Amino acid sequence: MTSTGTIFEREINAYFLSPIAYVIIAVFMVFSGYFFSIMLGITQETTLRYSLAYTQFILSILTPVITMRLLAEENKTGTVEPLMTAPITDFAVVFGKFLAAWALYNIMIAPTAFYIIFLAWVGSPDYGAIIASYIGLVLMGGLFVSVGMLVSAVTKNQIVAAVTGIVALLILLVIGLASAESEGWLYSTLRYIGTYDHWETFTKGIVDTRDIVYYFSFSALLLFIVVRIVESRRWR
């Protein structure tokens, strides 16, 4: 865990010593604030459910920007080579980077807590649904970061990593959304693979263990693949 902590500290410092963290947080707050105000004005309901529906789309675009440099930059510059020869496990490298990106993701969404304060000021929001929604946001962030890291691990170009990650996350969103009202085993499978149904459950105030298992197992599988990709570089 000491090695993981070292990698985590290195990566989180890299985020905040460059403009990337501040730019991403600012962009997220602009768009999330816009959708919050628009949906509040349209629905006249003291809820985050409708505005958070757009939040998943925003995060699908911004999270790959957070993860694009994690491994792609080191693949390009060659700094991954001395990292691989250091007395540190491949898992510690991958997990440390994952935790740093996930931490930035959670820091990014944290200011939206002010929306809850505003809703409490103007009405009586359903705090159970809000808490469940934020649990869903955090778990979804772990999955999004894992997808972004996998893409970053297989390319040397940060722009390619970002664009490919965005496309992958939007596909996960779209296949779940497009099959939401359809019946049959194929559509059921697509709904389970896609993120829409799992996220929608949390916004209704329901913390279902099936959705928790989905996020944890999917994220763990992707991180396992990333570790194997990193391991393979030791033998090249």
Side-chain angles (χ1 to χ4, degrees):
M1 292 304 294
T2 301
S3 299
T4 300
T6 301
I7 296 296
F8 170 83
E9 184 178 358
R10 170 188 178 227
E11 295 298 329
I12 202 70
N13 286 338
Y15 279 127
F16 285 97
L17 290 176
S18 69
I20 184 170
Y22 307 100
V23 171
I24 290 173
I25 293 172
V27 170
F28 175 75
M29 289 309 301
V30 167
F31 281 98
S32 65
Y34 171 77
F35 286 120
F36 172 73
S37 60
I38 290 295
M39 297 312 298
L40 184 62
I42 292 174
T43 64
Q44 297 292 306
E45 296 180 24
T46 53
T47 179
L48 291 177
R49 180 179 179 184
Y50 304 108
S51 59
L52 288 180
Y54 292 95
T55 299
Q56 182 180 0
F57 173 74
I58 301 169
L59 293 172
S60 298
I61 296 175
L62 292 181
T63 307
V65 179
I66 294 175
T67 60
M68 65 181 183
R69 54 166 290 279
L70 288 178
L71 291 165
E73 181 181 36
E74 293 186 346
N75 291 338
K76 181 179 180 179
T77 61
T79 54
V80 71
E81 302 303 330
L83 190 62
M84 292 300 98
T85 57
I88 183 173
T89 66
D90 300 315
F91 173 79
V93 172
V94 171
F95 196 55
K97 288 175 176 288
F98 166 80
L99 290 178
W102 198 16
L104 177 55
Y105 169 97
N106 289 312
I107 291 170
M108 177 174 65
I109 65 175
T112 61
F114 287 108
Y115 303 157
I116 306 173
I117 298 174
F118 180 79
L119 291 179
W121 180 53
V122 300
S124 301
D126 182 350
Y127 292 107
I130 290 174
I131 292 172
S133 295
Y134 275 91
I135 292 173
L137 275 179
V138 172
L139 293 175
M140 185 172 66
L143 174 58
F144 281 11
V145 169
S146 300
V147 171
M149 284 194 68
L150 177 59
V151 173
S152 183
V154 296
T155 181
K156 295 183 178 180
N157 188 297
Q158 294 186 48
I159 303 301
V160 172
V163 172
T164 306
I166 291 170
V167 171
L169 291 179
L170 289 179
I171 289 174
L172 283 177
L173 171 60
V174 169
I175 62 174
L177 182 59
S179 59
E181 302 299 328
S182 303
E183 299 297 332
W185 68 267
L186 177 60
Y187 295 111
S188 297
T189 302
L190 291 176
R191 279 198 300 272
Y192 186 80
I193 295 174
T195 56
Y196 178 77
D197 259 21
H198 301 285
W199 164 242
E200 184 73 3
T201 303
F202 284 104
T203 63
K204 295 176 181 177
I206 302 171
V207 180
D208 194 321
T209 54
R210 289 173 296 181
D211 299 315
I212 296 175
V213 169
Y214 164 82
Y215 282 118
F216 271 111
S217 59
F218 204 169
S219 300
L221 173 62
L222 295 176
L223 289 178
F224 173 79
I225 296 172
V226 174
V227 171
R228 289 294 174 263
I229 292 172
V230 171
E231 283 180 347
S232 70
R233 295 204 174 99
R234 290 185 183 273
W235 311 104
R236 293 181 183 177

